[in-house]
Amino acid sequence: MAFVSDVKINELKQKLARDESELKSLYKAKKNKYYEKNVLHNQVEEYIKDGWETSKEQKTKTTIRKLKSHNKKFEDDIWCQFYELGYRVLNRDETFSLPFGIEKEETQQIDVIAADNETVFLIECKSSNVFKKAPSYKDKFELLKSQTDGFRKAIYELFGKDKKIKYIFATRNMRLDSDSEDAQRLIKANILHYSDKIYDYVDSLIEKYKKAARYQFLGLMFKNEKINDQNILLPAIEGKMGGKTYYMFSIEPHLLLKIGFVLHRAKINEEEMPTYQRLLIPNRLKNITKFIDQGGYFPNSLVINFGASKKINFEPAGIRSDSDSYSRAGILKIPNEYSIAYIIDGQHRLYGYADSKFKDTNTIPVVAMFGLDNTKQLDIFMDINENQKAISPSLRSTLEEDLYWYSDRADSRLKALRSSIIRELSENNDSPLKNKITIGEDKAFLTSPPFGDSLSKCGLLPKAKGNQYLPESTIFSLYDVNNHDHNSEMIKTKKKIVKLLIECYSLAGEYFKENLFDSNSLIVTNRGTHPFIMLIGDLVRHLINQGSVSNQSSIDTIFDGIDKYLRCLLEKLVGLSEDEKAKYLGMLGAGVETKWLRFFQSVIHGCFSEYYPEDLVDWQQRQDEALQDEGRKYGEKIESFMKKTILDNLKILFGNEWEFEIGKIARECQNRASLEDEKNYKEGLKKEKTDWTEMFNINDYKEIIEKHWSKKADGNLDFKTFEDIFSIDMDFGFNSKTEKIKWISHFNSYRNLWAHAGTKEKRLNKQEVEFLEKIYKHFYPSAN
């Protein structure tokens, strides 16, 4: 006797859409966040009273619309996602009710049902308009456990017994903790919890993999479940390498696509950490498929790994060799299960076959490892990709946590710690930045490299070279370099810094509220990350210098100390006029973050005069036009004195042959003069021919002084040697020739600061101007 009557089967089939044109129409309507309908003009008022709004007026009718409820929109989004995955048998609406027993009332409404030639998904959807903890579903899940067997029987009669079936409990904005009783009930009932992170991950698969997304999706849904009972048998060669057994074989792409799985660095795979793969590049995938279909091929092998728990059997063939060999031929038996082989290298090549006409008939070469843990897979992945640009900065930054956490090198462990801090900021439920930072391949509003860069420079963590911490970087660090239990210290420091940053970003949220993640923000953007975190580190340094806190103080104490400074800044930023904000947002170039930081520091200094960090003092001095003019005056006078004095001395020492004494330098100056004349000609500037003696640089002067250091003019008692003239005690020592003229090298470096009057990037501070002034007064004593 049939479990479901023929009448009921026909009724259920009528509720399923299979026609492509109808499916496209349904997809368009469900993708829209509004309900839409056309009504007569005279009916519009009645609909408006019921919450509808006018969208578009036509000749005889008006298009009206109404925002879908969050739960209806979620059901439609799930429906659309399965359509985008390639499912072409889907329920038309919410009236699809599936029997789970033989009694008339033993039916259950199914929010979404999706089927294809191999699989059927039954999806129940629950959503919330705000993120919250899920309520208890004990009774529902207990009932579902007893219902699923009946659902299975009904599906077999509706679609056939060759289908794999999966019941899904999908949620949006609802936290169902993995260790909760409800989560365990789902696992026992073999029901999948389709969380926000799964939905987002599948969306990214569809975006990147297009039609090929289906294979990774099925691997995720049916992981370690049988595809069928038939083993895959492959001729193979077994070998040893690095103490590990490996196999070389060829396999049809359609088989490897089903049993293979890519461990993307995404939240969905966090239980299998460390994970390492990046998502595919869609254009590259499309081009690979085209290349394959035009007869192209890839002779290099894919690299995969079978999990240690899998029953991979190798049966040697009876082939004898005259020479000793550690390799042998035979037959490799592989279970036909989803996701049993991790793709370490070659996912583009493999997924290029997903939409190829040669998917079933070509074979691809494979090197298969066996039993490698994820850390070793990561090592191989990084070794293979070390010199490639395929790994994005965000993914590379994220992988550092797993690569280096237990490293013997201090600098590597600090990389891991920074990576771990960033991940925690993005995943901690208390963090305003939750899900806002790109982690691995999970795209978000902010990228992780600015966080890593600022954490390495802000002073909250020490710096190290190799296994040695830089002493000056430990003074204000929250990391105890004297704790040799590196793992415990890293965990402790991560908690401290994450808590501090959460408090600071939460305070910013109090001021900016819903505008915190505005793309025009000066704080929560990729450009704003560096100055804000650098400021936090600078404020901690200020408090420690004041003695109000120490490195060992609690984060609550430290945050209480910097609270007033941050509030001063945030009040200023909230009150910025559009013109003031545009001034900073319009800044371009690599130095923008530094300019924003100096702006932040200046604001706080205006509120609290005792806060005056050295780098702000230095920066303000370099913006002082009067100071720049003073330094430029000294510099030009010094250079003029050097040129005149050196040429005069050369002429006294060598007469008319003086040019031959500096032959190499003279030739270089003549060449510079020639190039200058050529440049002027090409630019249409009519200038007199450049005198080569105008082309000396400071290094030329230094070379001449050194070469003729103590040479005296015969019979000229008033002659002063270069040593007499250019020896200046600038506190570099005053014994050797090198020490006496060391000032010239510093003068040359400062010349780049005062010689460019039009730039504010290379400028002089007060100390540098005082240095120039001392040299100037040495050469022009009457100026004292």
Side-chain angles (χ1 to χ4, degrees):
M1 178 180 176
F3 182 75
V4 184
S5 68
D6 290 342
V7 173
K8 186 63 177 178
I9 290 292
N10 287 330
E11 180 187 324
L12 291 172
K13 286 182 177 179
Q14 291 302 314
K15 292 181 178 295
L16 295 172
R18 300 170 185 265
D19 178 72
E20 185 61 38
S21 61
E22 182 187 5
L23 287 167
K24 284 182 178 178
S25 178
L26 286 169
Y27 173 76
K28 182 179 178 181
K30 290 178 181 294
K31 199 72 174 173
N32 196 338
K33 65 181 180 179
Y34 294 97
Y35 295 108
E36 285 191 344
K37 62 168 63 178
N38 293 321
V39 300
L40 296 172
H41 296 318
N42 59 8
Q43 296 176 314
V44 171
E45 287 300 320
E46 287 300 316
Y47 277 98
I48 289 176
K49 292 177 184 177
D50 198 30
W52 292 76
E53 62 182 45
T54 301
S55 174
K56 182 174 60 177
E57 287 193 8
Q58 303 171 47
K59 187 173 181 180
T60 60
K61 291 187 176 183
T62 299
T63 301
I64 59 174
R65 68 184 188 181
K66 187 177 185 180
L67 195 66
K68 294 176 183 176
S69 65
H70 64 84
N71 55 311
K72 178 58 180 172
K73 185 67 178 78
F74 181 43
E75 291 175 9
D76 285 353
D77 286 346
I78 291 289
W79 192 101
C80 290
Q81 194 171 73
F82 275 82
Y83 177 82
E84 290 164 353
L85 283 165
Y87 285 84
R88 291 299 181 265
V89 180
L90 293 142
N91 57 307
R92 288 191 174 90
D93 52 37
E94 63 276 6
T95 63
F96 188 93
S97 293
L98 189 67
F100 59 83
I102 58 175
E103 301 299 328
K104 184 177 180 181
E105 65 274 9
E106 291 182 315
T107 62
Q108 172 68 44
Q109 184 264 334
I110 305 297
D111 294 325
V112 178
I113 178 170
D116 65 6
N117 293 333
E118 297 177 280
T119 59
V120 178
F121 288 92
L122 307 174
I123 305 119
E124 181 172 356
C125 302
K126 299 290 181 185
S127 73
S128 169
N129 60 341
V130 294
F131 189 81
K132 68 177 185 179
K133 184 177 181 179
S136 173
Y137 289 111
K138 180 179 182 296
D139 294 339
K140 172 178 281 296
F141 290 168
E142 291 293 345
L143 182 61
L144 268 178
K145 185 178 179 182
S146 63
Q147 291 174 339
T148 49
D149 186 55
F151 289 148
R152 187 176 305 279
K153 291 177 182 178
I155 290 298
Y156 284 160
E157 294 188 12
L158 186 59
F159 292 104
K161 291 188 176 181
D162 59 337
K163 301 292 187 290
K164 288 195 67 65
I165 303 168
K166 178 67 71 174
Y167 195 97
I168 286 177
F169 185 75
T171 62
R172 172 174 284 173
N173 282 338
M174 298 174 74
R175 190 177 85 246
L176 186 62
D177 295 331
S178 59
D179 57 352
S180 67
E181 291 183 1
D182 275 350
Q184 296 307 309
R185 291 185 182 102
L186 287 177
I187 293 171
K188 289 177 182 177
N190 196 26
I191 296 170
L192 179 79
H193 176 216
Y194 205 89
S195 61
D196 289 327
K197 64 184 179 183
I198 293 182
Y199 179 88
D200 292 341
Y201 176 64
V202 173
D203 245 13
S204 64
L205 286 177
I206 292 167
E207 177 191 356
K208 301 292 186 181
Y209 286 62
K210 306 302 179 186
K211 294 180 181 178
R214 181 178 182 275
Y215 292 102
Q216 183 77 358
F217 171 77
L218 291 178
L220 185 67
M221 297 295 103
F222 296 107
K223 197 162 195 175
N224 297 325
E225 293 186 26
K226 285 186 177 181
I227 299 170
N228 57 52
D229 292 326
Q230 296 178 345
N231 284 331
I232 299 171
L233 305 180
L234 300 168
I237 295 174
E238 181 187 71
K240 301 284 186 182
M241 179 170 54
K244 297 287 185 182
T245 299
Y246 69 93
Y247 304 98
M248 297 178 65
F249 55 83
S250 292
I251 188 172
E252 289 78 6
H254 77 95
L255 291 175
L256 187 54
L257 281 164
K258 288 184 179 179
I259 68 172
F261 191 73
V262 182
L263 272 178
H264 291 124
R265 183 68 179 211
K267 291 174 185 174
I268 185 62
N269 295 318
E270 56 193 8
E271 289 184 3
E272 301 203 49
M273 298 285 270
T275 53
Y276 48 88
Q277 285 279 19
R278 63 270 195 224
L279 288 166
L280 294 175
I281 302 169
N283 287 339
R284 186 178 171 195
L285 187 65
K286 181 179 179 181
N287 290 334
I288 289 174
T289 301
K290 182 178 179 181
F291 172 74
I292 293 168
D293 284 346
Q294 291 175 346
Y297 60 92
F298 302 95
N300 49 326
S301 299
L302 276 73
V303 180
I304 70 174
N305 174 63
F306 292 112
S309 62
K310 298 301 158 195
K311 293 181 179 179
I312 310 297
N313 294 319
F314 180 76
E315 296 182 357
I319 301 174
R320 298 186 63 181
S321 174
D322 292 335
S323 61
D324 294 333
S325 175
Y326 290 100
S327 63
R328 53 182 183 165
I331 299 295
L332 190 66
K333 286 186 178 180
I334 304 171
N336 203 348
E337 297 176 3
Y338 289 102
S339 305
I340 63 168
Y342 291 121
I343 312 299
I344 298 176
D345 185 60
Q347 62 160 328
H348 276 93
R349 280 169 277 156
L350 174 60
Y351 279 94
Y353 271 102
D355 199 33
S356 168
K357 61 185 179 182
F358 296 118
K359 176 176 60 178
D360 300 321
T361 55
N362 275 10
T363 59
I364 48 179
V366 173
V367 172
M369 312 298 286
F370 180 78
L372 299 180
D373 62 27
N374 290 8
T375 301
K376 188 60 182 175
Q377 292 182 57
L378 170 56
D379 286 341
I380 295 173
F381 171 80
M382 291 298 284
D383 286 342
I384 291 171
N385 292 280
E386 186 67 31
N387 297 313
Q388 298 185 22
K389 294 182 179 179
I391 304 177
S392 68
S394 287
L395 177 57
R396 187 177 293 277
S397 172
T398 305
L399 293 177
E400 287 173 347
E401 177 180 2
D402 299 317
L403 277 172
Y404 303 127
W405 189 270
Y406 296 103
S407 173
D408 292 333
R409 291 171 55 111
D411 54 1
S412 295
R413 291 195 301 274
L414 289 172
K415 283 183 182 179
L417 180 53
R418 292 194 296 268
S419 176
S420 188
I421 289 169
I422 298 166
R423 182 176 60 80
E424 183 66 18
L425 279 174
S426 182
E427 296 178 359
N428 191 298
N429 287 329
D430 296 326
S431 174
L433 303 182
K434 181 176 171 61
N435 298 326
K436 297 296 185 181
I437 307 174
T438 295
I439 301 296
E441 292 295 281
D442 292 313
K443 301 302 180 187
F445 181 71
L446 303 168
T447 58
S448 56
F451 285 90
D453 181 60
S454 55
L455 284 170
S456 70
K457 297 175 181 177
C458 70
L460 296 175
L461 292 171
K463 296 180 181 179
K465 286 187 178 180
N467 211 24
Q468 298 296 316
Y469 295 101
L470 305 184
E472 66 276 10
S473 73
T474 66
I475 301 170
F476 307 105
S477 166
L478 302 185
Y479 183 99
D480 183 2
V481 298
N482 296 312
N483 183 357
H484 299 298
D485 184 347
H486 305 308
N487 182 57
S488 68
E489 184 59 33
M490 290 166 72
I491 292 172
K492 183 174 73 173
T493 304
K494 178 174 79 168
K495 288 180 180 178
K496 290 167 66 176
I497 293 178
V498 167
K499 183 177 181 181
L500 177 61
L501 294 178
I502 285 176
E503 293 286 358
C504 294
Y505 277 101
S506 296
L507 184 62
E510 288 181 22
Y511 282 82
F512 287 96
K513 296 182 172 56
E514 66 275 6
N515 294 324
L516 182 63
F517 297 101
D518 190 325
S519 59
N520 289 331
S521 169
L522 294 182
I523 291 180
V524 189
T525 57
N526 285 322
R527 290 201 296 176
T529 296
H530 185 270
F532 190 58
I533 293 180
M534 289 293 289
L535 178 69
I536 294 167
D538 197 51
L539 290 172
V540 172
R541 184 184 301 110
H542 173 66
L543 294 179
I544 293 174
N545 274 331
Q546 277 191 325
S548 54
V549 303
S550 74
N551 311 63
Q552 304 306 313
S553 296
S554 70
I555 290 304
D556 288 336
T557 300
I558 292 174
F559 179 71
D560 285 346
I562 67 175
D563 178 83
K564 65 179 182 180
Y565 300 104
L566 287 180
R567 288 185 183 277
C568 161
L569 171 66
L570 294 168
E571 286 174 8
K572 172 69 175 179
L573 295 182
V574 168
L576 282 179
S577 69
E578 289 304 314
D579 288 344
E580 287 176 308
K581 186 183 286 187
K583 169 188 170 184
Y584 291 99
L585 293 173
M587 291 178 177
L588 302 173
V592 170
E593 290 85 353
T594 300
K595 292 176 182 176
W596 287 13
L597 173 59
R598 300 295 174 250
F599 168 52
F600 293 174
Q601 291 174 322
S602 299
V603 170
I604 296 174
H605 173 62
C607 296
F608 304 97
S609 59
E610 85 281 0
Y611 173 75
Y612 203 15
E614 290 181 3
D615 51 4
L616 176 61
V617 174
D618 179 86
W619 182 79
Q620 288 181 337
Q621 289 173 358
R622 295 182 193 276
Q623 310 310 304
D624 185 336
E625 295 298 339
L627 189 66
Q628 303 312 305
D629 290 342
E630 183 182 0
R632 190 174 301 111
K633 178 190 72 173
Y634 294 142
E636 289 172 351
K637 288 283 189 180
I638 292 166
E639 189 168 0
S640 175
F641 176 87
M642 290 179 75
K643 177 184 177 182
K644 182 178 185 308
T645 303
I646 288 170
L647 292 183
D648 286 348
N649 265 23
L650 287 174
K651 292 172 183 176
I652 293 170
L653 287 170
F654 305 109
N656 293 333
E657 284 78 34
W658 71 272
E659 294 181 29
F660 298 117
E661 283 295 330
I662 59 164
K664 178 175 174 291
I665 293 174
R667 288 191 296 273
E668 289 174 352
C669 289
Q670 288 163 0
N671 185 50
R672 291 172 202 154
S674 177
L675 291 173
E676 181 69 14
D677 290 339
E678 183 180 344
K679 176 175 173 287
N680 291 335
Y681 170 76
K682 289 180 177 179
E683 292 178 356
L685 301 175
K686 295 182 179 180
K687 291 187 175 182
E688 294 183 10
K689 196 170 183 179
T690 305
D691 184 344
W692 69 268
T693 61
E694 298 295 322
M695 306 306 291
F696 285 104
N697 60 40
I698 305 301
N699 285 328
D700 294 333
Y701 297 148
K702 183 172 180 285
E703 186 177 335
I704 295 169
I705 291 169
E706 287 179 309
K707 184 177 179 181
H708 305 290
W709 179 244
S710 56
K711 193 171 186 63
K712 297 180 179 180
D714 294 339
N716 189 338
L717 298 178
D718 295 327
F719 180 81
K720 288 187 177 181
T721 66
F722 288 122
E723 180 179 10
D724 296 329
I725 300 169
F726 293 105
S727 295
I728 306 178
D729 187 358
M730 300 297 289
D731 298 324
F732 301 129
F734 203 64
N735 297 309
S736 65
K737 174 171 60 175
T738 300
E739 290 174 342
K740 291 178 179 179
I741 60 170
K742 193 172 183 178
W743 66 268
I744 298 177
S745 297
H746 285 263
F747 173 74
N748 190 36
S749 65
Y750 295 162
R751 187 186 187 281
N752 291 326
L753 305 179
W754 59 259
H756 302 280
T759 178
K760 294 197 174 186
E761 305 303 323
K762 297 179 179 180
R763 313 192 93 198
L764 296 161
N765 64 19
K766 187 176 181 181
Q767 183 180 9
E768 291 158 351
V769 171
E770 288 173 349
F771 180 93
L772 295 174
E773 182 183 18
K774 185 174 180 180
I775 299 169
Y776 166 76
K777 289 182 176 179
H778 175 84
F779 292 145
Y780 298 95
S782 60
N784 290 307

